[in-house]
């Protein structure tokens, strides 16, 4: 399958390369050849089934758009192929695949909504899943999930805590910063005119220094210095 796909794409003048991936074989194609590559794979290779389309945020590299194609008509063995391309972060655009695969309609709308990637000439590129008035693209890595800030991490309350429990209830363990939430010093309300933090900048070091690890010699010395529990005869 991979050789047939690469040969067909090369014959069509498309610079396609095999990419490392888990699961199905993946092929990288240039963004300008996105639609042409899918047309060749459908008509010349026989990948007539469109499974899904999505994207991933590659930060400074832009956004990687991925489609999954398959051929269910080749007998007991089903052929699968991932087709990938990169679009720049400052102008994330790709032509739509809806003229080739009707099933791309829903997936391109979702990807547009979640990542902010525009699919030109899409017949109905409107919000699909998020409520009216929602601002931002939740699957971009700079987007801060509100639930991570509003609800204690890891989500469930600590033992002994309750919305109706007295404030002097059981003490809680030290809260840890949940994944996806920047340091409070770099995110949150800021005075008017303050610059926004750079979401692509390296994460700041934790304000609390890590406790140094003891060496095996230090652990043995501490254990030897601890008093031994009383024996039965001493009790």
């Amino acid at each position: 399958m991979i050789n047939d796909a690469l040969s067909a794409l090369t014959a069509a003048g498309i610079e396609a390369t095999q990419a490392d991936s888990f699961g199905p074989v993946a092929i990288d194609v240039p963004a300008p050849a996105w639609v042409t590559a899918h047309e060749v794979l459908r008509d010349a290779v026989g990948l007539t089934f469109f499974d899904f389309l999505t994207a991933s945020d590659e930060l400074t590299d832009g956004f990687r758009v991925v489609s999954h194609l398959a051929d269910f008509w080749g007998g007991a063995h089903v052929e699968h192929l991932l087709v990938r391309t990169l679009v720049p972060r400052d102008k994330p655009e790709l032509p739509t695949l809806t003229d080739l695969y009707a099933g791309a309609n829903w997936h391109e709308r979702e990807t547009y909504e979640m990542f902010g990637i525009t699919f030109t000439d899409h017949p109905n590129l409107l919000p699909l899943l998020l409520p009216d008035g929602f601002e931002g693209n939740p699957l971009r890595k700079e987007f801060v999930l509100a639930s991570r800030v509003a609800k204690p991490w890891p989500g469930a309350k600590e033992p002994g805590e309750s919305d109706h429990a007295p404030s002097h209830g059981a003490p809680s363990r030290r809260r840890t910063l949940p994944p996806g939430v920047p340091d409070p010093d770099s995110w949150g309300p800021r005075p008017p005119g303050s610059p926004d933090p750079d979401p692509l900048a390296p994460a700041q070091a934790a304000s609390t220094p890590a406790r140094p690890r003891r060496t095996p010699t230090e652990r043995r010395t501490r254990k030897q210095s601890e008093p031994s529990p009383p024996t039965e005869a001493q009790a």
Side-chain angles (χ1 to χ4, degrees), residues 93-221:
E93 288 184 0
L94 270 181
T96 182
L97 295 177
T98 52
D99 290 338
L100 298 177
Y101 296 102
N105 189 313
W106 191 97
H107 296 272
E108 289 180 348
R109 288 178 62 187
E110 181 189 38
T111 305
Y112 163 72
E113 191 171 32
M114 295 298 174
F115 290 94
I117 300 173
T118 300
F119 293 90
T120 56
D121 297 325
H122 189 284
N124 190 36
L125 200 61
L126 299 175
L128 179 69
L129 302 174
L130 299 175
D132 294 339
F134 188 94
E135 296 183 0
N137 308 107
L139 292 187
R140 288 194 175 198
K141 289 184 177 178
E142 73 265 24
F143 186 89
V144 178
L145 298 176
S147 60
R148 298 284 176 85
V149 180
K151 191 171 184 180
W153 183 258
K157 294 184 178 297
E158 301 290 342
E161 293 183 342
S162 170
D163 292 336
H164 307 289
S167 58
H168 58 275
S172 170
R173 293 179 298 173
R174 181 175 62 87
R175 299 292 186 187
T176 58
L177 193 65
V181 176
D183 185 271
D185 295 335
S186 62
W187 178 84
R190 292 180 297 278
S194 299
D196 292 334
D198 183 4
L200 305 182
Q204 298 181 2
S207 57
T208 304
R211 185 170 64 180
R213 300 184 62 180
R214 296 189 180 94
T215 64
T217 302
E218 291 173 335
R219 288 197 294 268
R220 285 196 299 269
T221 302

Side-chain angles (χ1 to χ4, degrees), residues 63-100:
F63 298 97
R64 190 179 305 279
V65 182
V66 183
S67 68
H68 179 217
L69 308 178
D71 175 14
F72 286 100
W73 308 105
H77 179 69
V78 178
E79 299 286 356
H80 296 266
L81 184 67
L82 296 178
V83 187
R84 315 188 315 178
T85 195
L86 276 173
V87 293
R89 194 174 195 87
D90 57 347
K91 191 178 181 181
E93 288 184 0
L94 270 181
T96 182
L97 295 177
T98 52
D99 290 338
L100 298 177

